[in-house]
Amino acid sequence: MRTPIVSLLLAAFASHALSAQQPTQPPAQPSAAFRSPVADTGIFSPLPLPDPTEVRSANGAPGPRYWQQRADYAIVATLDTTARTLKGTVTIRYTNNSPDSLPYLWLQMDQNLFRPGSTGSMLNAASSRFGGAGFQGGFEIENIYQTAAARPATGANRPRAVAAAQLPVKTRVDDTMMRVDLAAALAPGQATVLVIAYHFNIPEHGADRMGRDGNLYELAQWYPRMAVYDDQLGWNTDQYLGQGEFYLEYGDYAYEVTVPAGFILAGTGTLQNPLEVLTAAQRSRLAQAAHSDTTIHIVTEADLASGAARPKASGMLTWKFKAQNVRDVAWAAAPNYLWDASGWEDVLAQAYYRPAAKATWSDAAKESRFSIKEYSDHWFRYPYPQISAVEGTVSGMEYPMLAMEANASTLKELYNVVTHEIGHNWFPMIVGSNERRYAWMDEGFNTFVNTFSEENYFSRNDSLDRKGETGFVLQNDQSVTAQPMITGANRYKTDPNLGSLAYVKPSIMLLALRNKVLGPEVFDAAFREYIKRWAFKHPLPSDFIRTMNNAAGRDLSWFWRGWIYTTATIDQSIENVTQRSQGSNNIARIVLRNPGQMVMPVELTLTMKDGTTQLIRLPVEIWYRGDRFTYTVTTTQPIASAKINADGFTPDVNPANNEWKAAP
């Protein structure tokens, strides 16, 4: 999810000089830890990760006995625009691939956030961005039962449950979770089917993740969804409180949504009944767009004005979609959507927007196409048949094959949000991490890859020009409410912590690892390996760390410890420089210090008397023996100045001690 909090906080930080930043307390000295006579507990000691198993290997890859559950869905729903409600039936085929027998199942009931008195409503006011309650919302379960594990049929493209004996189940709702006690325990390797009839009132502001704006609807979290059962926690039952996002199983979906005939609907997956819901002209234009690298207008303003945008003027129409190997589905609908599309290889890149947003959104299909190509070329091939960017009330939120964005004031602002939400199709839609617990593996990794998408779209090179962002991270880590990056999203104390820990700090961390530690070639190969290994699976932080260590061939415990597990600071300094002549050469002894709690390699820029410069890169291992290191260098000219971190990329807590200048 693209959060405006990040932009606002970075803008606020820009008004403060980075050089004025000082730690709230003196940084601890690492040298004492280096001298510990009892055990190796210093910054370079091995990171205490969970023991490897046959499920998760020591090298970070899924083990030979890796397993995860599967949930396939068939959904039939109707949108009532008069009552502003959605009514549906969801049939879930749940397969137990675990080695455990399951007497009960847990489901996510996200709409219950919008019930008065929900836990989320107590933490986030209704008027806030992630606000929940404020009207009479929540899932109302009309009926629920269990049947034999026959796969849902889709005859005539209509999802329905195969007729079978209805077994009663006992349920218990706990805020945004529901426990379902099965008629009999679900054995390993077996499957069962739940059929749930439900309805809910659609909130106007759905915690900025779904909602409505006049006659526009963006529907997400619109059906009861299976919670994840994994080898780490068993059932993942963290409540949905508005801020923390989602953790879901993969499966196949067949869903249909009945809406007023005048509406145009965009959704996850592939449209199954274009003959029923699209005009002949629209079908022809879509066929052209699929093979066009330029934008084709599928629905135009003239179509909307003349009534040619819809195959019939009144009544209701049912839109039918299928999606394979996804962890969720969502959709958006409005009677005045303009619709653009273009193609990239086998992917249809689309944009849906209202006429009032045309000034900025007219390039959105192009932006969607560029984003899909960018992430596919650099990291992992986009596996789905289409991507849709939809304009509406949600400021920025992602779902498989569907990216929700509000209108923007500039083309640049819109692209940054479009490419961010589309990037989420890689993190966490393809690499299925637990967003609610490890937001940095979702938002942060996505923010990192967005850096290069934005660079290439705007033809610039600024991956190292991150002074505002590094300053924001530094300021936040020195605040009294500082928390480590590993903190779960639901437990962030402040909005700056959300902006830093979920988005900015993990992105800066990966850029630092790429550009300051491993180098782009080694880092990129390791990061691609992580994506490939864990595509459509559920990685943990330890899986990521082990994959990067093994693929790069480095024990990076010191790096992960400082960045992920602590709020430690980086403070590198030049303590002293002495020089002497030796023949025609100049011999300089440069005493470097690391008084901070973190370690990093040193980038030392020397400026000679004649104005020439020399960049010296020293490895992190110089700090093995303590927090002081003397580097001797031979130059042909006397050194006029020496500076650490000259590009300002590293978030150094005290930049005032980074430079030495020779006396006149």
Side-chain angles (χ1 to χ4, degrees):
M1 184 177 194
R2 185 72 172 191
T3 171
I5 293 171
V6 176
S7 301
L8 292 172
L9 292 172
L10 287 174
F13 173 80
S15 64
H16 299 278
L18 181 59
S19 60
Q21 295 300 323
Q22 295 294 335
T24 57
Q25 58 186 7
Q29 302 295 318
S31 56
F34 298 163
R35 296 194 301 269
S36 173
V38 178
D40 183 4
T41 58
I43 190 72
F44 287 105
S45 61
L47 200 64
L49 300 175
D51 291 336
T53 67
E54 289 192 316
V55 177
R56 298 175 189 270
S57 299
N59 68 355
R65 294 191 177 182
Y66 176 83
W67 58 267
Q68 67 188 46
Q69 310 291 62
R70 180 180 179 88
D72 300 301
Y73 295 81
I75 311 170
V76 178
T78 299
L79 174 67
D80 185 336
T81 56
T82 301
R84 294 173 174 172
T85 62
L86 185 126
K87 182 181 179 67
T89 299
V90 56
T91 302
I92 308 171
R93 186 179 194 273
Y94 184 75
T95 305
N96 180 16
N97 294 319
S98 82
D100 306 321
S101 182
L102 304 178
Y104 53 84
L105 310 178
W106 280 97
L107 281 78
Q108 297 186 22
M109 305 285 284
D110 305 305
Q111 287 298 319
N112 289 358
L113 171 68
F114 309 113
R115 281 182 172 171
S118 70
T119 303
S121 69
M122 298 179 186
L123 297 176
N124 299 296
S127 59
S128 69
R129 185 182 183 210
F130 298 115
F135 78 117
Q136 193 64 43
F139 280 125
E140 297 296 334
I141 303 300
E142 300 171 5
N143 189 23
I144 178 171
Y145 59 86
Q146 180 185 358
T147 75
R151 185 175 294 276
T154 54
N157 287 324
R158 180 178 178 82
R160 57 185 173 83
V162 174
Q166 297 183 11
L167 305 175
V169 294
K170 182 180 178 181
T171 64
R172 174 170 62 84
V173 175
D174 179 8
D175 203 29
T176 61
M177 302 296 299
M178 180 172 70
R179 172 172 154 158
V180 177
D181 292 332
L182 301 175
L186 185 61
Q190 299 300 305
T192 191
V193 172
L194 292 180
V195 180
I196 307 172
Y198 65 96
H199 68 271
F200 65 92
N201 296 329
I202 300 170
E204 183 175 5
H205 173 67
D208 202 25
R209 304 192 191 281
M210 51 87 65
R212 52 185 169 81
D213 181 20
N215 54 10
L216 177 144
Y217 290 81
E218 292 177 305
L219 267 294
Q221 293 88 259
W222 57 288
Y223 56 96
R225 304 182 294 183
M226 291 303 308
V228 171
Y229 185 85
D230 63 22
D231 62 292
Q232 179 74 4
L233 296 175
W235 286 108
N236 284 255
T237 55
D238 293 339
Q239 297 286 347
Y240 175 43
L241 304 179
Q243 180 166 285
E245 295 186 2
F246 314 109
Y247 185 32
L248 300 163
E249 302 287 13
Y250 289 93
D252 295 342
Y253 286 73
Y255 70 97
E256 63 179 49
V257 182
T258 300
V259 298
F263 278 59
I264 296 167
L265 191 146
T268 298
T270 303
L271 181 64
Q272 298 297 296
N273 61 332
L275 291 175
E276 299 173 23
V277 298
L278 302 181
T279 67
Q282 290 161 3
R283 297 194 300 271
S284 175
R285 293 166 186 169
L286 277 173
Q288 180 185 357
H291 304 286
S292 173
D293 58 4
T294 59
T295 299
I296 304 297
H297 302 300
I298 312 303
V299 174
T300 67
E301 288 186 276
D303 293 336
L304 293 176
S306 67
R310 306 306 305 121
K312 68 176 187 176
S314 61
M316 304 289 280
L317 277 177
T318 299
W319 298 65
K320 303 173 184 179
F321 292 85
K322 284 187 178 181
Q324 293 182 314
N325 205 20
V326 294
R327 45 182 271 170
D328 199 4
V329 292
W331 51 275
N336 57 339
Y337 261 154
L338 299 173
W339 180 3
D340 296 339
S342 66
W344 175 73
E345 296 188 356
D346 298 325
V347 180
L348 192 64
Q350 305 178 99
Y352 300 77
Y353 54 96
R354 292 169 290 185
K358 184 178 180 180
T360 48
W361 271 79
S362 57
D363 276 349
K366 172 187 172 184
E367 294 170 356
S368 299
R369 182 184 187 275
F370 186 94
S371 297
I372 290 296
K373 181 180 185 302
E374 169 72 20
Y375 301 130
S376 294
D377 288 347
H378 284 82
W379 306 113
F380 186 88
R381 177 63 162 81
Y382 186 69
Y384 299 123
Q386 65 93 4
I387 182 67
S388 296
V390 298
E391 179 264 331
T393 183
V394 176
S395 63
M397 187 61 203
E398 73 282 355
Y399 299 95
M401 302 183 233
L402 191 78
M404 299 177 179
E405 298 93 13
N407 196 12
S409 57
T410 66
L411 293 172
K412 178 181 177 182
E413 178 184 330
L414 180 63
Y415 180 78
N416 291 347
V417 180
V418 167
T419 201
H420 178 86
E421 303 310 337
I422 289 178
H424 273 303
N425 275 270
W426 280 259
F427 308 101
M429 302 307 167
I430 294 173
V431 183
S433 59
N434 185 342
E435 303 171 78
R436 199 160 291 175
R437 291 213 164 199
Y438 311 116
W440 59 276
M441 297 177 69
D442 157 38
E443 299 292 356
F445 289 11
N446 185 35
T447 301
F448 165 73
V449 299
N450 297 160
T451 302
F452 307 101
S453 174
E454 293 169 14
E455 277 188 355
N456 293 331
Y457 189 79
F458 296 111
S459 300
R460 66 192 193 209
N461 183 12
D462 62 358
S463 63
L464 286 174
D465 184 15
R466 290 289 186 262
K467 293 183 179 65
E469 294 178 6
T470 56
F472 168 56
V473 169
L474 176 63
Q475 183 184 54
N476 197 65
D477 280 351
Q478 289 299 295
S479 70
V480 295
T481 57
Q483 295 171 285
M485 192 192 300
I486 198 67
T487 303
N490 279 341
R491 301 192 302 277
Y492 293 149
K493 295 178 180 178
T494 65
D495 285 346
N497 283 11
L498 166 64
S500 177
L501 304 182
Y503 295 81
V504 182
K505 187 174 182 178
S507 176
I508 293 295
M509 175 186 76
L510 295 182
L511 287 168
L513 184 61
R514 183 179 192 265
N515 295 317
K516 304 297 184 180
V517 180
L518 298 178
E521 183 178 357
V522 173
F523 174 92
D524 290 358
F527 199 59
R528 291 187 193 108
E529 181 69 16
Y530 166 69
I531 299 172
K532 180 181 177 182
R533 284 179 174 182
W534 290 98
F536 312 108
K537 297 181 177 68
H538 297 317
L540 299 171
S542 55
D543 300 316
F544 169 70
I545 289 170
R546 284 185 160 125
T547 293
M548 296 300 291
N549 287 355
N550 280 266
R554 301 277 295 275
D555 181 359
L556 298 166
S557 293
W558 58 271
F559 185 86
W560 310 121
R561 177 179 283 106
W563 284 90
I564 298 175
Y565 294 97
T566 75
T567 58
T569 56
I570 300 169
D571 184 10
Q572 298 176 339
S573 69
I574 301 176
E575 188 174 79
N576 189 29
V577 177
T578 58
Q579 305 184 78
R580 62 182 175 84
S581 298
Q582 183 173 306
S584 60
N585 292 325
N586 179 71
I587 309 299
R589 297 179 76 251
I590 305 171
V591 181
L592 305 172
R593 285 288 311 280
N594 192 83
Q597 301 143 315
M598 286 177 65
V599 292
M600 281 287 287
V602 174
E603 287 195 352
L604 180 63
T605 301
L606 304 180
T607 301
M608 309 306 170
K609 186 177 180 180
D610 62 359
T612 59
T613 61
Q614 179 181 351
L615 177 61
I616 298 170
R617 292 185 171 92
L618 301 175
V620 73
E621 287 81 3
I622 66 173
W623 307 119
Y624 269 0
R625 297 182 179 179
D627 62 0
R628 181 181 279 103
F629 180 79
T630 300
Y631 178 69
T632 302
V633 60
T634 300
T635 62
T636 57
Q637 290 275 333
I639 298 173
S641 67
K643 188 172 185 179
I644 292 173
N645 191 29
D647 61 12
F649 177 84
T650 302
D652 191 301
V653 72
N654 185 16
N657 63 11
N658 286 9
E659 187 171 13
W660 170 89
K661 291 184 178 181

